[in-house]
Amino acid sequence: MELLSKTLARVKPSPTIAVTTKAQELKAAGRDVIGLGAGEPDFDTPQNIKDAAVAAIAAGKTKYTAVDGIAELKQAICAKFKRDNDLDYKPSQISVSSGGKQVLYNALMATMNPGEEVIIPAPYWVSYPDMVLLAGGTPVVVEAPLEQNFKMSAEQLEAAITPNTKWLIFNSPSNPTGAGYARDELKALTDVLLRHPHVWIMTDDMYEHLAYDGFQFCTPAQVEPQLYNRTLTVNGVSKAYAMTGWRIGYAAGPEKLIGAMRKVQSQSTSNPCTISQWAAVEALNGTQDYIAPNNETFVRRRNLVVKALGAIEGVTCPVPEGAFYVYPSIAGLIGKTSQGGAAITDDEAFATALLEETGVAVVFGAAFGLSPNFRISYATSDENLTEACKRIADFCAGLT
Ligand code: GLU
């Protein structure tokens, strides 16, 4: 009998994790590697948040908690939704998990049946389609190319909806492109969803606070209140508060769905780390003053990278509205050969040769469902970014 499940055979390991691990291994082996693969802020977690965690330990808050979060954190999350998004939720509508990733996973595990479809605009975050597959559903990918600024149109959404559509997964600002939907662009999508009352909306708002050049973040239930009862609004503390390793994500939605997600979590991981939950209370209730200066740093780095990559022949690098990613096209480089003799047949070959020959780790576009591109996470120092862009430029100039 085959050891591994047929369901697992349908999915692949996370490519973002794979690239990050590879870069760490090469570094540990003494190679001069600049890792632009991992999507996490390089800033330290703010001191007030660390202090709250230490205080929680000192006070003995180290035991199991309610499966989907302590009351204090649920209150803080309700206050956050009111403050930032003008959305009213009760604590009974809130679920807290070990990262946004587990929130999404719980929701899909709680709702998907064989034959049901999930619409996923591409480029997408690597884990959406594989989570849908793990939950037994069918991903329906809608390509939103660079010419559309990586944003799905209302017509594309309308055309993708079938009687079997269960969810649309929406993500703005986006991982991997940084593209953000303006209110009117999002309204065009919510207007389509109003006409299809059987479709639910899972919105991944993880990059909400990383918005630049005056871009106004908005979320589906806020733009179209009539969708409130079929929207799961997902967020977390990882990106805005530099807390990736603390693993706290959360969601708000209808009680029936939140209860089903609680059931999944009660039979898998139980509560997210107690100490991290207390740290997240402080992140949400405490000062938000460091978000703006952090964003100034991100804008400076984004501009540095866009300028450097945009100057390379064969590379097209749009200016994103948010997150800390750029997603340049390398259409002009496909078919060439590197100095090291690698045939650049696609974006995976490009990323592999780039790492081998220059030590710069990026994630290839096929992982995100739209090629030929690659993703850079610019959440690292200006020095690293300057050196990495120079190496990429030299690598590209050496292609023949
Ligand atoms: N969201 C991050 C990324 O895309 C974290 C890694 C992951 O879980 O995919 O790099």
Side-chain angles (χ1 to χ4, degrees), residues 64-75 96 274 277-278 281:
Y64 294 135
T65 71
V67 163
D68 60 357
I70 54 176
E72 290 82 352
L73 181 51
K74 291 188 178 185
Q75 283 291 359
V96 186
T274 306
Q277 290 190 64
W278 285 105
V281 170

Side-chain angles (χ1 to χ4, degrees), residues 1 126 391:
M1 194 190 291
V126 293
R391 292 189 199 179

Side-chain angles (χ1 to χ4, degrees), residues 14 16-17 37-39 101 125-126 175 207 239 325 375:
S14 164
T16 46
I17 304 280
K101 215 165 180 171
W125 177 50
V126 293
N175 177 1
Y207 295 92
K239 306 302 193 293
Y325 305 110
R375 186 191 79 173

Side-chain angles (χ1 to χ4, degrees), residues 185-267:
E185 292 168 330
L186 179 50
K187 183 75 173 65
L189 299 184
T190 57
D191 283 351
V192 172
L193 295 167
L194 279 180
R195 294 197 288 276
H196 300 276
H198 66 291
V199 181
W200 286 67
I201 304 99
M202 196 179 295
T203 177
D204 179 352
D205 296 352
M206 196 55 80
Y207 295 92
E208 165 177 15
H209 290 299
L210 286 80
Y212 317 128
D213 306 333
F215 174 77
Q216 292 290 322
F217 170 84
C218 48
T219 189
Q222 172 191 25
V223 167
E224 182 43 80
Q226 292 183 70
L227 294 178
Y228 176 87
N229 286 327
R230 49 185 170 113
T231 300
L232 185 70
T233 304
V234 181
N235 212 314
V237 296
S238 291
K239 306 302 193 293
Y241 306 98
M243 291 178 71
T244 47
W246 300 74
R247 309 311 300 135
I248 295 292
Y250 56 83
E255 282 177 11
K256 183 176 176 181
L257 174 60
I258 294 297
M261 291 163 62
R262 183 185 312 124
K263 197 199 256 190
V264 175
Q265 192 156 303
S266 78
Q267 292 292 17

